[in-house]
Amino acid sequence: MDTIGFIGLGIMGAPMAGHLLDAGYQVVASHHRSKPPADLVAKGLKTVSGHHAVAKTADVIITMVPDTPEVADVLFGDNGVASGLTAGKLVIDMSSISPIETKEFATKINALGCDYLDAPVSGGEVGAKAASLTIMVGGEEKIFERARPVFEKMGKNITLVGPNGVGQTTKVANQIVVALTIEAVAEALVFASKAGADPAKVRQALMGGLAASRILEVHGERMIKRSFAPGFRIELHQKDLNLALEGAKALGVALPNTSTTQQLFNSCAANDGAKEDHSALVRALERMAGHQVRE
């Protein structure tokens, strides 16, 4: 089995790496932002000093960090992954970042004689813990097939959608759908609650009809229970919608509802909510309505 290097053991990355350890892979990590989680060390996670050392030790290097500049730094910064690569290794970026810069990263890694896949994920902390993530992959088919056994330990719906960069484009599209659906659920619950209906019963009723969705199920419940500890932070969804809006501008595409939803996220961030779960978008609508879905 390949040795896996894993950089970015945060809310999503830690359980993903845990599944690889459980499957019998040797997993190597560096100290990215903090010490690796103790439970992963107990499972056999090995730690080395620096991203360069991860790349030298591992056959496959996975990055799972918050934003495009961080991926660039991890890969190409001082003592970054690129400086430790040798021909034949595979770099997989599972972060959610710019499709345009992803293509540039792939070109640089390919020039070193190595392969590159962009493979962003959807499913949040719940999906990461359950190994049920949706994985959207950009790259060559033969490279995708090499990585498939690794992906299968972390996700269920695994799709090669096109060449490098298309995985990230698909993730941006995913984040548009998720954001706008969260906004729709929030509007519906604020409306129903202020009209005097029990929001929990409204949600239960809607789950049996055409309005049913995973967002209504999971995030609707969060809005009602006021459970906003982050599975996916508002500040990260802001980042993803920025990618959508920047891409739309370059393409000459109008995304009016995406723009409106981003303003609601901006309102939340301005009211100290940037690190709350993205379901807390409901707070922006509650402030405008002068009414909370549930006290």
Side-chain angles (χ1 to χ4, degrees):
M1 300 176 76
D2 286 328
T3 296
I4 310 295
F6 207 110
I7 299 171
L9 299 174
I11 289 174
M12 300 283 288
M16 292 164 67
H19 294 310
L20 296 174
L21 288 163
D22 291 339
Y25 285 99
Q26 182 176 341
V27 181
V28 179
S30 58
H31 296 282
H32 177 53
R33 282 184 165 179
S34 58
K35 291 183 178 180
D39 63 323
L40 297 186
V41 174
K43 288 183 177 184
L45 178 74
K46 298 184 181 300
T47 57
V48 294
S49 178
H51 307 324
H52 168 93
V54 172
K56 289 189 69 174
T57 304
D59 305 300
V60 177
I61 300 93
I62 295 173
T63 55
M64 185 63 176
V65 298
D67 204 349
T68 307
E70 286 197 55
V71 175
D73 183 61
V74 166
L75 293 181
F76 306 112
D78 293 340
N79 295 313
V81 166
S83 65
L85 291 174
T86 51
K89 296 195 174 188
L90 170 59
V91 175
I92 305 173
D93 178 38
M94 303 190 77
S95 319
S96 297
I97 66 168
S98 164
I100 295 171
E101 293 193 52
T102 288
K103 294 177 185 178
E104 296 173 0
F105 297 163
T107 299
K108 289 180 180 179
I109 296 298
N110 292 159
L112 299 173
C114 298
D115 296 313
Y116 191 95
L117 295 173
D118 49 293
V121 303
S122 179
E125 182 182 11
V126 172
K129 288 182 174 179
S132 62
L133 292 168
T134 291
I135 304 176
M136 302 154 257
V137 188
E140 295 182 22
E141 186 170 1
K142 66 179 181 179
I143 308 306
F144 170 71
E145 292 301 330
R146 174 185 173 184
R148 186 191 290 274
V150 176
F151 291 144
E152 287 175 345
K153 302 301 181 293
M154 299 181 285
K156 298 296 184 186
N157 181 20
I158 303 161
T159 307
L160 177 64
V161 289
N164 285 132
V166 178
Q168 294 294 353
T169 296
T170 305
K171 178 58 188 289
V172 171
N174 177 87
Q175 294 303 81
I176 292 172
V177 173
V178 170
L180 270 60
T181 308
I182 289 174
E183 197 279 337
V185 168
E187 277 197 21
L189 293 180
V190 169
F191 167 78
S193 177
K194 190 156 188 179
D198 181 339
K201 291 183 178 179
V202 170
R203 172 183 164 277
Q204 180 181 350
L206 295 179
M207 282 299 299
L210 192 59
S213 71
R214 184 69 172 155
I215 298 295
L216 178 61
E217 178 186 357
V218 175
H219 293 76
E221 183 177 46
R222 282 176 170 267
M223 294 173 195
I224 293 165
K225 291 186 174 180
R226 319 307 292 172
S227 176
F228 298 129
F232 189 77
R233 300 191 303 275
I234 281 175
E235 62 187 354
L236 294 180
H237 215 140
Q238 287 179 289
K239 176 260 299 183
D240 291 340
L241 293 193
N242 278 338
L243 292 175
L245 294 169
E246 289 167 2
K249 182 178 180 180
L251 293 167
V253 173
L255 299 178
N257 292 329
T258 301
S259 180
T260 299
T261 302
Q262 180 73 312
Q263 291 301 321
L264 294 173
F265 279 138
N266 292 345
S267 172
C268 291
N271 284 273
D272 300 320
K275 297 190 181 302
E276 291 189 310
D277 186 78
H278 52 174
S279 59
L281 176 144
V282 71
R283 292 192 193 273
L285 295 169
E286 289 172 337
R287 281 190 290 270
M288 288 189 286
H291 176 83
Q292 189 168 292
V293 166
R294 172 158 285 175
E295 298 298 332

